[in-house]
């Protein structure tokens, strides 16, 4: 049986980091695909002197540094709130623009749970699925 919405807490790892919503066309257009939307939960951690990250940030000589994999230290600059908001917004915009409409899911010929009746043409339609992504 088809379940149109699956929330992350209902799934098991590694499929529990996002919600998925499947929308089947209403039947007005026989050429319309179904829509599969994956709602990803992304948390960006901004590291600076106000938000140090143990093991990766170092306070030395009155200055905060980030330590890279090779042990080099790079001075940290604080993130002003308007720049964190801007970065988060642009991150979401870029991620969604990159991944939306890049995948078409082809419905197998022997799977009928997505079928719908097209009222205009009086036929049964088996849609494919157009995938989109939302960052939350």
């Amino acid at each position: 049986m088809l379940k149109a919405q699956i929330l992350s807490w209902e799934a098991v790892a590694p499929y529990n980091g996002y919600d998925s919503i499947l929308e089947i066309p209403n039947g007005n257009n026989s050429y319309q695909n179904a829509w599969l939307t994956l709602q990803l939960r992304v948390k960006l951690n901004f590291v600076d002197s106000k938000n140090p990250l143990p093991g990766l940030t170092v306070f030395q000589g009155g200055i905060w540094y980030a330590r890279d994999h090779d042990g080099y230290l790079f001075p940290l600059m604080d993130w002003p709130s308007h720049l964190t908001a801007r970065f988060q917004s642009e991150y979401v915009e870029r991620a969604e623009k990159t991944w939306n409409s890049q995948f078409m899911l082809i419905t197998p010929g022997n799977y009928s749970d997505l079928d719908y009746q097209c009222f205009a043409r009086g036929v049964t339609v088996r849609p494919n699925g157009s995938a989109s992504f939302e960052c939350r």
Side-chain angles (χ1 to χ4, degrees), residues 22-93:
L22 179 65
E23 299 173 75
I24 299 173
N26 62 14
N28 291 332
N29 180 351
S30 63
Y31 300 103
Q32 181 64 57
N33 289 314
W35 303 272
L36 174 64
T37 303
L38 301 179
Q39 296 175 329
L40 308 174
R41 277 184 236 13
V42 177
K43 182 174 185 330
L44 300 175
N45 296 310
F46 293 88
V47 176
D48 58 18
S49 68
K50 297 177 203 130
N51 301 295
L53 185 62
L56 294 178
T57 55
V58 177
F59 188 68
Q60 185 174 314
I63 299 173
W64 279 97
Y65 295 92
R67 182 187 313 270
D68 74 1
H69 180 71
D70 296 321
Y72 291 105
L73 298 178
F74 297 89
L76 285 177
M77 295 176 58
D78 287 339
W79 283 87
S81 60
H82 73 282
L83 288 182
T84 57
R86 178 177 163 188
F87 186 91
Q88 289 171 329
S89 173
E90 290 178 7
Y91 176 89
V92 167
E93 181 181 324

Side-chain angles (χ1 to χ4, degrees), residues 111-129:
Y111 184 80
S112 62
D113 283 358
L114 298 179
D115 289 2
Y116 66 90
Q117 290 297 313
C118 175
F119 307 119
R121 294 180 45 210
V123 296
T124 299
V125 177
R126 179 160 298 156
N128 292 319

